């Protein structure tokens, strides 16, 4: 398949996209833009986006990613609360993962992947249990590192994104696939921004 054929298929998918997917992706983009501008509106926008995403992913059989978004919903609600009630407290410093962090990260990926794959394979009608489990397991690891403000969170989140993009196209969710491409670019920028912060702190 050449580029023109692929773009034609993408365009056809976009034309057939329902209003709910447009709404979910729209709020997802708004969340990223509000976060970049450091505005509290990122949380309500993110919560609306995640609720829609949970429903849409479940309806197309992406059960692990749907469950992953439940975690995002909890974290968004918690983050909103922290912003309002603990905004004057300093955040954790940005650091790199130590040996213990790396071992825990790999353990999260392996354990989550095996658990999710077995659940999807044996107890659901998922057509993509392998990819769904892998995308979610690597995202779980990335989110754990993000909560600890570890540089490597961007690497694991982008490993998840790389596999999520074709998976979302396959499930005919083109807007979510394009949103994931956008998040992939943001994660690259985030990695180098955090790396710069670490280098600046080490040079002091």
């Amino acid at each position: 398949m050449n580029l023109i054929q692929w773009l034609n298929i993408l365009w056809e998918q976009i034309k057939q996209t329902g209003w709910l997917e447009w709404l979910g992706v729209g709020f997802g983009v708004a969340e990223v833009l509000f976060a970049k501008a450091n505005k509290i509106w990122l949380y309500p926008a993110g919560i609306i986006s995640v609720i829609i995403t949970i429903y849409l992913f479940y309806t197309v059989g992406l059960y692990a990613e749907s469950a992953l978004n439940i975690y995002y919903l909890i974290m968004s609600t918690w983050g909103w609360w922290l912003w309002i009630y603990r905004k004057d407290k300093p955040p954790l410093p940005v650091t790199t993962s130590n040996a213990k962090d790396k071992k825990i990260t790999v353990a999260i990926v392996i354990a989550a992947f095996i658990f999710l794959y077995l659940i999807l394979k044996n107890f659901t009608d998922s057509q993509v249990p392998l990819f769904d489990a892998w995308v979610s397991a690597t995202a779980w690891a990335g989110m754990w590192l993000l909560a600890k403000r570890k540089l490597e969170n961007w690497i694991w989140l982008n490993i998840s994104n790389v596999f999520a993009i074709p998976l979302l196209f396959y499930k005919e969710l083109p807007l979510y696939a394009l949103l994931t491409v956008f998040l992939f670019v943001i994660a690259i920028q985030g990695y180098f921004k955090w790396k710069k912060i670490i280098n600046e702190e080490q040079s002091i």
Side-chain angles (χ1 to χ4, degrees):
M1 183 182 298
N2 59 40
L3 180 60
I4 299 299
Q5 291 174 318
W6 185 87
L7 289 175
N8 285 334
I9 292 173
L10 172 62
W11 178 242
E12 288 300 319
Q13 284 188 337
I14 290 176
K15 287 195 297 183
Q16 297 172 16
T17 299
W19 66 270
L20 196 58
E21 185 176 344
W22 282 100
L23 193 64
V25 171
F27 276 105
V29 171
E31 176 191 12
V32 174
L33 295 177
F34 281 133
K36 188 175 181 181
N38 202 32
K39 300 294 185 181
I40 194 172
W41 288 104
L42 78 96
Y43 292 110
I47 288 170
I48 294 171
S49 175
V50 165
I51 290 172
I52 295 172
T53 301
I54 290 169
Y55 170 76
L56 288 176
F57 281 13
Y58 184 83
T59 59
V60 299
L62 293 176
Y63 303 119
E65 285 205 66
S66 183
L68 175 65
N69 276 273
I70 294 175
Y71 171 73
Y72 292 159
L73 176 61
I74 295 170
M75 293 301 293
S76 293
T77 305
W78 183 55
W80 196 358
W81 181 86
L82 287 179
W83 185 300
I84 294 172
Y85 293 102
R86 301 184 62 187
K87 62 182 180 181
D88 296 328
K89 294 188 177 182
L92 290 172
V94 176
T95 57
T96 56
S97 298
N98 57 32
K100 182 180 178 181
D101 293 326
K102 292 176 181 177
K103 290 179 181 178
I104 294 174
T105 302
V106 172
I108 290 173
V109 172
I110 294 173
F113 174 71
I114 293 173
F115 174 76
L116 291 171
Y117 176 75
L118 291 176
I119 293 293
L120 293 171
K121 185 70 175 178
N122 296 303
F123 299 101
T124 75
D125 59 353
S126 175
Q127 298 175 336
V128 286
L130 195 68
F131 284 97
D132 197 7
W134 176 252
V135 168
S136 297
T138 48
W140 274 103
M143 291 301 296
W144 180 76
L145 290 169
L146 178 61
K148 292 172 66 65
R149 290 179 66 82
K150 298 295 182 179
L151 175 67
E152 293 78 8
N153 90 85
W154 301 113
I155 296 174
W156 284 100
L157 289 176
N158 258 357
I159 290 173
S160 177
N161 289 334
V162 164
F163 286 89
I165 292 166
L167 179 60
L168 291 167
F169 276 122
Y170 173 74
K171 284 295 184 177
E172 297 185 353
L173 293 170
L175 295 184
Y176 276 100
L178 293 176
L179 175 61
T180 306
V181 172
F182 176 59
L183 295 177
F184 180 86
V185 174
I186 294 296
I188 293 174
Q189 295 175 345
Y191 176 86
F192 286 106
K193 182 178 180 179
W194 282 30
K195 189 173 180 61
K196 182 180 179 181
I197 292 172
I198 292 172
N199 291 337
E200 289 175 348
E201 290 178 349
Q202 290 177 343
S203 64
I204 296 176

